[in-house]
Amino acid sequence: MVFEKVLIKKFSIQKEKGWLYTHANKQHKWGERAILSFFFIALMYLVYVNSIHSSFFTLPPYFFILYSYRTFMEWKYQRGTRKYILTIYTLLFIELGYLCLYHLFGII
């Protein structure tokens, strides 16, 4: 939260009011829904075929694909707001946190 405020000040990012995420356009909204649907289908398949433990390995690729798509759409259609900078850093923190949990604690 603090790092986000520093980025907003440093890059003069226009943050939208409210706590819900707003999509750039309809293509962006439907693309994210398709990614989410594919993730749930893959997750259900992995839980059915394998154990629940192995299904946790679908999270890093899912977040990488989702946030990469979100970053691209924000960069392409909302370049003036610079929201894509926050999305890139969010992706980096999610992936770094996942790696730390995996390597340091062996949770996953």
Side-chain angles (χ1 to χ4, degrees), residues 82-101:
R82 297 183 185 176
K83 285 177 18 180
Y84 61 92
I85 296 171
L86 287 176
T87 309
I88 289 172
Y89 280 105
T90 303
L91 171 63
L92 292 176
F93 278 125
I94 288 172
E95 295 295 329
L96 184 65
Y98 198 88
L99 283 174
C100 288
L101 285 174

Side-chain angles (χ1 to χ4, degrees), residues 39-50:
F39 168 71
F40 279 129
I41 291 169
L43 187 64
M44 290 184 340
Y45 174 75
L46 286 173
V47 168
Y48 178 73
V49 172
N50 299 325

Side-chain angles (χ1 to χ4, degrees), residues 6-106:
V6 170
L7 285 175
I8 289 172
K9 272 189 174 182
K10 182 176 181 180
F11 293 108
S12 302
I13 298 172
Q14 299 173 3
K15 188 153 186 200
E16 297 173 2
K17 294 180 181 178
W19 55 277
L20 290 174
Y21 180 75
T22 55
H23 297 90
N25 55 22
K26 286 184 181 181
Q27 180 185 3
H28 183 194
K29 181 191 293 186
W30 285 103
E32 285 197 12
R33 286 181 181 175
I35 293 169
L36 183 65
S37 299
F38 180 75
F39 168 71
F40 279 129
I41 291 169
L43 187 64
M44 290 184 340
Y45 174 75
L46 286 173
V47 168
Y48 178 73
V49 172
N50 299 325
S51 67
I52 293 175
H53 178 73
S54 65
S55 64
F56 286 113
F57 289 110
T58 61
L59 288 175
Y62 165 71
F63 282 121
F64 182 78
I65 292 168
L66 177 70
Y67 278 92
S68 297
Y69 179 74
R70 186 176 282 183
T71 301
F72 175 73
M73 294 302 279
E74 288 174 351
W75 172 78
K76 187 172 181 181
Y77 294 110
Q78 295 178 333
R79 196 173 293 178
T81 62
R82 297 183 185 176
K83 285 177 18 180
Y84 61 92
I85 296 171
L86 287 176
T87 309
I88 289 172
Y89 280 105
T90 303
L91 171 63
L92 292 176
F93 278 125
I94 288 172
E95 295 295 329
L96 184 65
Y98 198 88
L99 283 174
C100 288
L101 285 174
Y102 180 72
H103 287 293
L104 294 177
F105 302 111

